Amino acid sequence: MGNTNDIKENLNVKSISNSTAPVGVFDSGVGGLTVAREIMRQLPHENIVYFGDTARVPYGSKSRDNIIRFSRQIVRFLGTKDVKAIVIACNTASALALETVQDETDIPVIGVIVPGARAAVQATENGIIGVAGTEATIQSETYTKVIRQMNPDAVVIGKPCPLFVPLVEEGFAKHRITEEVIDIYLSDMQKTDIDTMILGCTHYPLLRSGIRAYFGEKVHIVNPAYETAMDLKKILAKNGTENRSGQPAAYEFYVSDAAEKFTRFANGILTYDVAATRLVNIEEY
């Protein structure tokens, strides 16, 4: 097995003077709430500004150029909130836009792919890893490239599952139709020898129980959200920008469409009570 330290960790030393500044988190919709939830758990003193691009979800079927354009707009919006770090809580944007926005901003920006890949490489025993993701994430082969930099002998089997995102967005995570879609997408992968599977889209952890039941105990399911939160913790500690004010954390939520629907969904996922979500015309940024 390769040394996981060989892969770029994105532990930037760029910093911001105000340690009480919020962390920016963004996703194409509600999926990034799984990452925000882990940040709330693992970094309970950090303020968060979350943006969900609900007007343009899903990202997985969009072109690389559009994903980069969307990500630039959102980073500019988060910049108006004086964030001290940005987490791209979206596998598609992490695969296609991370390096671009890292080069264009002076604050640390991390994605979810490296943390998820690292966890899978550490968990697998036979080196055969499955990745379920959006079409764009799977076609980019970013997970395959990152995993093989960590373990050159790894075998990576990717499967695009484009209907998972709208099923989650529409509240069908526990519906029988979702069980049927899981079988349609993952039946071929179930017949392979994978012992580890990455939920390669931040929406997919909301289907985790169904996917775990489908594969059974033989397959370890990796949710990159926890590992991403822990990488963020390392970055803030390295930069000396942890929030040590002692004040309760403050959370703000913004979307590009359907604010009330987002609020209802968020309150079903987060332990924090989201009183309201604000609407932003992201095309202005």
Side-chain angles (χ1 to χ4, degrees):
M1 183 176 295
N3 185 350
T4 59
N5 290 326
D6 292 342
I7 188 68
K8 181 180 178 183
E9 297 282 347
N10 298 324
L11 299 182
N12 295 272
V13 293
K14 300 172 183 176
S15 64
I16 189 167
S17 58
N18 185 5
S19 63
T20 60
V23 172
V25 180
F26 79 85
D27 180 52
S28 61
V30 302
L33 290 170
T34 61
V35 177
R37 179 173 61 188
E38 284 299 330
I39 295 173
M40 291 175 180
R41 289 172 175 169
Q42 308 305 325
L43 293 81
H45 302 296
E46 296 299 335
N47 302 316
I48 297 173
V49 175
Y50 182 96
F51 179 82
D53 198 1
T54 47
R56 302 184 293 201
V57 69
Y59 276 12
S61 58
K62 305 296 192 301
S63 69
R64 180 186 185 90
D65 287 346
N66 271 327
I67 297 302
I68 290 175
R69 180 171 67 87
F70 297 166
S71 299
R72 282 171 166 160
Q73 289 174 328
I74 297 167
V75 168
R76 285 194 287 267
F77 165 70
L78 293 173
T80 68
K81 301 300 178 181
D82 296 324
V83 296
K84 63 185 176 185
I86 293 175
V87 177
I88 302 181
C90 172
N91 284 263
T92 302
S94 293
L96 302 181
L98 176 62
E99 290 187 4
T100 298
V101 296
Q102 281 180 327
D103 290 341
E104 295 176 352
T105 184
D106 291 330
I107 61 175
V109 183
I110 64 170
V112 292
I113 289 180
V114 169
R118 187 193 311 117
V121 167
Q122 292 172 346
T124 185
E125 295 182 2
N126 68 5
I128 306 176
I129 299 169
V131 181
T134 66
E135 291 179 357
T137 297
I138 300 302
Q139 290 174 6
S140 75
E141 297 189 339
T142 303
Y143 268 109
T144 300
K145 295 169 187 173
V146 171
I147 287 169
R148 286 181 178 163
Q149 288 181 47
M150 297 175 178
N151 178 3
D153 298 324
V155 175
V156 182
I157 301 172
K159 177 64 180 180
C161 306
L163 286 179
F164 282 0
V165 170
L167 285 169
V168 168
E169 295 273 347
E170 293 302 320
F172 291 136
K174 305 294 184 182
H175 198 280
R176 60 180 176 79
I177 194 171
T178 303
E179 295 177 2
E180 296 176 6
V181 174
I182 289 172
D183 179 58
I184 291 169
Y185 282 148
L186 301 179
S187 58
D188 287 343
M189 191 178 291
Q190 189 187 46
K191 298 170 186 175
T192 70
D193 292 326
I194 66 166
D195 72 348
T196 303
M197 180 175 179
I198 300 172
L199 301 179
C201 172
T202 50
H203 286 70
Y204 295 6
L206 300 173
L207 304 176
R208 184 176 184 174
S209 60
I211 294 173
R212 181 186 293 279
Y214 185 73
F215 281 98
E217 295 298 322
K218 67 174 185 175
V219 176
H220 177 78
I221 305 296
V222 172
N223 173 8
Y226 170 80
E227 286 77 19
T228 301
M230 297 309 292
D231 272 19
L232 174 64
K233 188 173 185 177
K234 292 177 185 176
I235 289 170
L236 299 182
K238 186 170 185 177
N239 292 348
T241 55
E242 312 105 306
N243 187 350
R244 298 176 179 174
S245 68
Q247 298 299 314
Y251 307 128
E252 297 179 13
F253 298 88
Y254 299 86
V255 293
S256 50
D257 194 20
E260 291 183 4
K261 180 180 178 181
F262 177 92
T263 301
R264 290 193 300 270
F265 202 105
N267 281 323
I269 296 173
L270 303 176
T271 55
Y272 172 82
D273 183 26
V274 181
T277 303
R278 302 175 195 175
L279 200 61
V280 173
N281 183 359
I282 197 64
E283 293 287 2
E284 293 180 349
Y285 291 87

